[in-house]
Amino acid sequence: MARPTPSTEWTGWALRAVVSAHVVTIAGQPVFAGVYLTGDYDSLRWHAIGADVVTSIGYLQVIAAIMVWVRLRQAGPFLATAVVVAAETVQYFAGLEGALWLHVPLGVMTVVGLAVQFIDVWRRPFVRREARDARA
């Protein structure tokens, strides 16, 4: 008889929610930048506001990933989040300084990294170690 698969803990659902919100907000950033480059200079303001929102959600994601690490003993989501948020922070300040040679490629890499993390957190089971060990 097959054992039932343990359900995802609330901390896993919290991380999934924050990563999902992070992906949605970061997806708007290239759109605002592109509209700005077509000559709509008001879009730069939207890009700056979006950067503040994306960065804030990134820091919330760090907190959610720490909760998963502490409660569920899964360090992987925290390590991935730390890399994405560090890149995002550097990219944020590069944008403020007008260093587009760094801002644009790092922005692309950040979007890709976050998209990969989104896929990972929705495929990964977030269960306590005891529940994972009981299945094996």
Side-chain angles (χ1 to χ4, degrees), residues 2-51:
R3 293 183 184 168
T5 304
S7 62
T8 293
E9 293 281 329
W10 69 268
T11 49
W13 284 109
L15 181 62
R16 286 175 177 171
V18 174
V19 170
S20 297
H22 202 176
V23 165
V24 168
T25 56
I26 205 168
Q29 287 302 92
V31 174
F32 295 138
V35 172
Y36 167 71
L37 292 174
T38 66
D40 183 355
Y41 299 111
D42 288 338
S43 292
L44 186 59
R45 184 172 56 88
W46 284 107
H47 186 67
I49 291 168

Side-chain angles (χ1 to χ4, degrees), residues 34-91:
V35 172
Y36 167 71
L37 292 174
T38 66
D40 183 355
Y41 299 111
D42 288 338
S43 292
L44 186 59
R45 184 172 56 88
W46 284 107
H47 186 67
I49 291 168
D52 291 338
V53 171
V54 167
T55 303
S56 298
I57 293 173
Y59 296 136
L60 289 175
Q61 185 175 323
V62 169
I63 294 167
I66 289 171
M67 290 175 15
V68 166
W69 188 8
V70 169
R71 290 189 44 85
L72 305 180
R73 305 292 186 247
Q74 294 186 30
F78 171 75
L79 297 173
T81 295
V83 169
V84 167
V85 171
E88 199 169 71
T89 302
V90 170
Q91 192 239 1

Side-chain angles (χ1 to χ4, degrees), residues 84 87 102 104-115:
V84 167
L102 178 60
V104 173
L106 196 53
V108 172
M109 288 187 282
T110 303
V111 170
V112 170
L114 193 54

